[in-house]
Amino acid sequence: MRLNFLLILFFAVLLSAKAQVAPYKVFELKSDSTDYVFKVIRIKDVKLKYVTRGAKLTDPRAVLNRIRPVRKWYRRFEPTSFWEKTNEFGLNINEVSFVNWNAGGDNSVSALASMRFKRNYKFRYLNWNNEAIFRYGLNAQEGRKLRKTDDQIRLSSTISFRKDTLTNWYYSVKTNFNTQFSNGFKYPDRDNPISRFMSPGYLFVGMGTSYIPPEDKFNLYISPATMKSTFVLDEALSNQGSFGVEEGEQLFLELGFLVTNTWEKEIIRNVFMNHRINLYTDYIRSFGNIDVDWEMNFNLKVNDHINANIGTHLIYDDDIKFDEVVADDGTVVDPGIPRIQFKQLLGVGLLFSF
């Protein structure tokens, strides 16, 4: 009995050893194996007889009757752009009409059109801001001709560079250009214009430093070396020595100190503030006498296309004289004195961004 038991145990151990060393048929040696370092063994595509519990077998072949068309169009991927673009067109119209109105009054219509374009680039060390503003307004009143209420061309470009990405101070080069579209008159005199296109025209070119924080739309520019060029291309105005040029000259140059600040902010919900100020003083002629150009606008947004504007514009330039006294022979008795120029704006209209 013991002998039979030992024989059965011997044959069982022999069969199990043979089963462990026998190669599994799934692995097959291919002829494309290399002979240098290793051999490639590929697995046959065989079907498993016993599937492990929890395993999910999928069929790689797509079933066409289970495919549904896309019903929602998803936004295409757009790469990150470091340009900030603004395109705005505004139109404000004010109208007053009377029919058999006992209190009296004159019918009038006022229109003001404005365009604003911005192209700002900011990435790591470089910051480049460009802005163009165009404004023109007219007023038509019963019993008199058209009168101009606003006229402005303003172009500016500032390129700035910083030494690292931690500081908010930049080395900057700035250019500003200002002029107007059409003739300006001291109404009701329409025969003698007091200003024209490029009479005057102002060009500021300088270099300095800028403080530009990353969050707010704030820009402070300080330039100890700025060249101010005043153009008076109209011959009649040039002969009068208007806007600081010598009589008969069309260009007047100044070298001075310039401080510029711009700031855009939503102060309360749907009320946006746009602030801009330029302070300039000349080194040679009148150092310490500051020319001021300060503009403050509030945009009250009703919806995407209707808004109200409240704005003020203050200018003081020592080269622009008022109350000039001229004798009968044409000689200037009193050249006049500079005065504060002030403009206030209130309007409701349309605003389109594209």
Side-chain angles (χ1 to χ4, degrees):
M1 186 65 181
R2 293 183 179 179
L3 181 60
N4 294 334
F5 177 75
L6 292 176
L7 290 176
I8 294 173
L9 181 62
F10 174 76
F11 284 111
V13 173
L14 183 63
L15 291 175
S16 62
K18 184 178 181 181
Q20 291 180 4
V21 299
Y24 187 50
K25 294 183 178 181
V26 171
F27 299 93
E28 182 181 9
L29 186 63
K30 296 295 182 180
S31 60
D32 57 352
S33 301
T34 58
D35 297 331
Y36 297 97
V37 180
F38 61 90
K39 294 183 179 182
V40 178
I41 298 178
R42 295 183 178 178
I43 301 177
K44 290 183 178 181
D45 186 10
V46 297
K47 186 176 180 180
L48 297 178
K49 185 176 181 180
Y50 302 101
V51 181
T52 306
R53 180 180 297 178
K56 296 181 180 180
L57 301 181
T58 58
D59 190 351
R61 296 170 297 181
V63 182
L64 297 180
N65 58 2
R66 298 181 182 176
I67 297 178
R68 296 181 181 180
V70 178
R71 297 184 180 275
K72 181 180 178 181
W73 290 96
Y74 293 92
R75 295 181 59 183
R76 298 182 59 185
F77 171 76
E78 296 181 359
T80 302
S81 177
F82 301 101
W83 285 94
E84 179 185 353
K85 301 180 181 180
T86 300
N87 301 313
E88 294 180 351
F89 172 76
L91 180 62
N92 294 343
I93 298 178
N94 300 321
E95 186 264 347
V96 179
S97 179
F98 302 94
V99 177
N100 299 326
W101 191 253
N102 184 53
D106 294 331
N107 300 333
S108 66
V109 177
S110 298
L112 173 62
S114 62
M115 291 186 293
R116 183 186 181 203
F117 304 97
K118 293 179 65 176
R119 298 292 186 272
N120 297 337
Y121 178 86
K122 186 175 183 180
F123 179 68
R124 292 179 64 82
Y125 308 106
L126 183 64
N127 191 302
W128 187 18
N129 295 338
N130 303 278
E131 185 177 28
I133 298 176
F134 307 97
R135 299 170 62 91
Y136 198 82
L138 292 173
N139 173 263
Q141 187 172 344
E142 186 179 9
R144 67 181 187 182
K145 298 180 181 180
L146 285 174
R147 292 191 176 187
K148 184 173 65 171
T149 58
D150 200 350
D151 191 357
Q152 184 182 60
I153 300 175
R154 183 180 297 274
L155 307 175
S156 65
S157 179
T158 306
I159 184 168
S160 306
F161 180 81
R162 59 181 175 177
K163 61 181 180 180
D164 56 57
T165 57
L166 299 179
T167 181
N168 295 326
W169 288 95
Y170 293 74
Y171 303 103
S172 301
V173 176
K174 188 178 186 68
T175 302
N176 284 346
F177 174 75
N178 306 323
T179 187
Q180 61 190 50
F181 285 101
S182 61
N183 297 346
F185 299 94
K186 188 176 181 180
Y187 298 106
D189 183 8
R190 296 177 176 272
D191 297 328
N192 302 306
I194 60 175
S195 61
R196 293 178 180 268
F197 174 74
M198 288 300 295
S199 297
Y202 299 102
L203 177 64
F204 294 85
V205 179
M207 60 181 62
T209 182
S210 297
Y211 177 74
I212 309 174
E215 295 83 9
D216 298 333
K217 295 183 178 180
F218 181 91
N219 191 314
L220 174 64
Y221 171 75
I222 302 174
S223 171
T226 296
M227 178 69 70
K228 177 184 177 182
S229 304
T230 304
F231 299 90
V232 183
L233 302 186
D234 181 72
E235 184 176 357
L237 295 174
S238 174
N239 293 334
Q240 295 175 9
S242 301
F243 309 106
V245 300
E246 299 292 336
E247 294 184 3
E249 299 293 331
Q250 296 183 338
L251 178 62
F252 176 61
L253 299 177
E254 297 175 271
L255 179 63
F257 191 94
L258 176 66
V259 177
T260 300
N261 175 234
T262 59
W263 188 22
E264 297 181 19
K265 185 176 179 60
E266 184 178 9
I267 53 177
I268 58 177
R269 183 178 176 84
N270 293 331
V271 177
F272 299 87
M273 180 194 69
N274 191 333
H275 158 80
R276 179 189 58 81
I277 187 170
N278 291 351
L279 304 175
Y280 181 81
T281 182
D282 179 41
Y283 285 130
I284 302 174
R285 296 183 59 189
S286 56
F287 181 73
N289 188 15
I290 301 176
D291 296 337
V292 181
D293 186 352
W294 182 22
E295 190 172 0
M296 177 79 75
N297 293 304
F298 294 92
N299 184 7
L300 287 70
K301 183 178 179 181
V302 179
N303 55 36
D304 291 338
H305 301 297
I306 300 178
N307 67 340
N309 295 318
I310 303 175
T312 60
H313 194 176
L314 185 146
I315 296 177
Y316 178 83
D317 193 334
D318 189 60
D319 297 325
I320 301 178
K321 308 294 184 179
F322 293 86
D323 301 329
E324 181 183 21
V325 179
V326 181
D328 295 336
D329 58 355
T331 58
V332 178
V333 179
D334 186 357
I337 59 174
R339 293 182 181 273
I340 294 177
Q341 307 172 53
F342 183 77
K343 180 179 67 176
Q344 186 269 334
L345 171 68
L346 173 62
V348 178
L350 304 176
L351 179 65
F352 299 95
S353 299
F354 54 93

